[in-house]
Amino acid sequence: MNRATATAQAPGRVNLIGDHTDYNGGLCLPFAIGLGTTTAARARGDDRLRIRTSAYDEAWTGRLGDLDLANRATLPTWVRYVAGVLWAARESGWPLPGLDLVIESELPVGAGLASSAALECSVAMAVGALVDRPLDPGSRPSIAELCRRAETDFVGAPTGGMDQLASLLALPEHALLVDFADTSLRQVPLPLREAGLVVLVIDTGVAHELADATSGYAERRAECDAAAAVLGLPRLGLAWADDLSRLTEELHQARGRHVLSESARVEDAVAAIKDLDWDRLGATLTSSHASLSRDFAASTPELDLAVYTALDAGALGARLTGGGFGGAAIALVRAEDVDEVQRQVDEAFDDNGHPAPTQLAVLPAAGAAVLAQA
Ligand code: GLA
């Protein structure tokens, strides 16, 4: 039986560690944050689609027949994320009616907090509830895959799938360990609150862009694919460290060094968390930033300033989070030090002539949920 209305919420995420590993077949360790996107879906009696979003204060009207790869370039960019989910859902056999969708987001766009995934996942969960698809935890990896296809195939952003899995499967007080060699998942208890710690998000305000074929993100992905091809592997993360010496280009070696060492750091981070060794976790986060900055060239002056100022101000560790090239950094901070770290970061941004960053303290929160259906 189809429902008439359904509302679902899906959160953004921070990636604690493991960046640019997902599309390379490596490890990552994201957790959901308490900010997200809500979609209210209503079934219509015709074939029309009406989508409204608070993020852009715009509405879009179309028809189910517009959900076609050939049409995607004619849609406004933000609509592509929503239409892409509906397109992928229909491709997967969901019986879609015409729909009214009202979308509200609390997440800043381009901050590296996975606002796109939150949007896709909230649409998929609301529409999935409307047409009675299974949305239990066991079914969610396939919903995440549907949302990833929307983003890569329909929107054209060559992202790797971490964000959608985090948004759909995260648990409070846990991080989600994903091994993209076989997309296996493990919930890792992350008792930050008990330890008196928070993760401070420092959004540099420099928007990063993943959906553009000329973006730094797309360029890095192409470099990793090229390096993997030289090694005769489907993905660079499947190489052994010894293999890297077979790469003749220094640039490919550097990308490979990051990808392989980053997965190893995710394992170190999981071990440190298990031992409740927060200093070791912090040091591992900071090494990740150095690798993303030096070998992967994904940092910016603003991200470096955020990371190194937070460390000077007493953070246990800090790194850029997500795709880089702008967006946010995170710092692992004792709860009592948050105000001072924030103050010093604000001051450093001001001294260096950058606009004030947006800062917020987060803890691991719940994944997506259907809030109401009737
Ligand atoms: C973005 C992408 C993810 C992932 C990260 C980098 O958030 O959406 O798939 O590749 O960048 O780790």
Side-chain angles (χ1 to χ4, degrees):
M1 185 203 73
N2 283 358
R3 314 267 176 180
T5 61
T7 302
Q9 195 263 4
R13 61 100 191 89
V14 297
N15 187 18
L16 187 60
I17 189 162
D19 271 315
H20 291 277
T21 45
D22 58 358
Y23 58 84
N24 280 308
L27 300 174
C28 62
L29 192 64
F31 64 79
I33 61 174
L35 294 179
T37 300
T38 304
T39 295
R42 176 183 296 277
R44 296 173 59 97
D46 57 20
D47 70 342
R48 297 188 76 81
L49 298 171
R50 266 201 346 207
I51 309 172
R52 252 189 324 121
T53 169
S54 61
Y56 295 99
D57 199 18
E58 278 180 52
W60 177 81
T61 319
R63 292 184 183 279
L64 283 171
D66 296 333
L67 302 175
D68 190 300
L69 279 183
N71 275 347
R72 65 182 196 92
T74 64
L75 303 175
T77 309
W78 70 268
V79 175
R80 288 180 209 167
Y81 289 89
V82 182
V85 171
L86 302 179
W87 166 79
R90 219 176 43 175
E91 292 271 299
S92 306
W94 294 21
L96 291 193
L99 292 163
D100 288 339
L101 301 178
V102 178
I103 298 163
E104 293 201 22
S105 185
E106 304 162 328
L107 286 163
V109 170
L113 299 178
S115 59
S116 312
L119 170 59
E120 294 149 13
C121 295
S122 73
V123 170
M125 290 291 286
V127 174
L130 202 67
V131 299
D132 272 342
R133 304 304 294 185
L135 301 174
D136 58 292
S139 307
R140 292 196 186 192
S142 65
I143 310 256
E145 177 55 15
L146 185 156
C147 292
R148 189 200 62 77
R149 282 189 61 209
E151 187 158 318
T152 53
D153 298 359
F154 201 90
V155 178
T159 50
M162 160 176 73
D163 305 344
Q164 293 81 2
L165 284 168
S167 183
L168 287 165
L169 281 141
L171 295 179
E173 312 214 1
H174 287 74
L176 182 69
L177 176 63
V178 188
D179 182 347
F180 277 92
D182 56 5
T183 330
S184 55
L185 307 169
R186 177 147 70 89
Q187 298 287 355
V188 176
L190 182 59
L192 294 180
R193 188 193 300 275
E194 244 177 85
L197 293 165
V198 297
V199 169
L200 180 65
V201 176
I202 306 164
D203 174 6
T204 62
V206 181
H208 75 164
E209 177 56 74
L210 304 178
D212 180 343
T214 61
S215 69
Y217 184 94
E219 186 180 85
R220 289 296 168 279
R221 182 161 184 165
E223 290 163 358
C224 291
D225 289 348
V230 173
L231 297 175
L233 294 168
R235 287 182 287 175
L236 186 53
L238 305 179
W240 296 97
D242 291 0
D243 291 331
L244 298 186
S245 61
R246 289 201 283 123
L247 293 168
T248 48
E249 285 192 35
E250 166 51 29
L251 183 113
H252 287 168
Q253 288 203 8
R255 306 303 183 244
R257 270 197 306 274
H258 168 71
V259 169
L260 298 190
S261 64
E262 185 76 348
S263 281
R265 278 185 293 271
V266 172
E267 287 179 335
D268 290 348
V270 170
I273 292 168
K274 186 157 177 271
D275 294 347
L276 306 180
D277 187 341
W278 307 113
D279 288 323
R280 199 164 106 225
L281 175 63
T284 311
L285 302 188
T286 306
S287 316
S288 163
H289 185 78
S291 175
L292 280 159
S293 173
R294 188 190 52 228
D295 282 338
F296 215 72
S299 191
T300 61
E302 291 86 350
L303 285 167
D304 287 344
L305 186 65
V307 164
Y308 294 110
T309 307
L311 290 170
D312 283 347
L316 277 57
R319 60 187 290 278
L320 72 83
T321 188
F325 302 100
I330 53 169
L332 183 66
V333 180
R334 287 181 206 88
E336 67 270 21
D337 295 340
V338 170
D339 289 347
E340 181 56 19
V341 173
Q342 283 189 297
R343 193 191 63 73
Q344 291 196 29
V345 169
D346 277 337
E347 194 176 274
F349 270 60
D350 192 40
D351 288 350
N352 284 272
H354 302 308
T358 306
Q359 303 191 56
L360 69 149
V362 299
L363 287 168
V370 176
L371 304 179
Q373 54 184 352

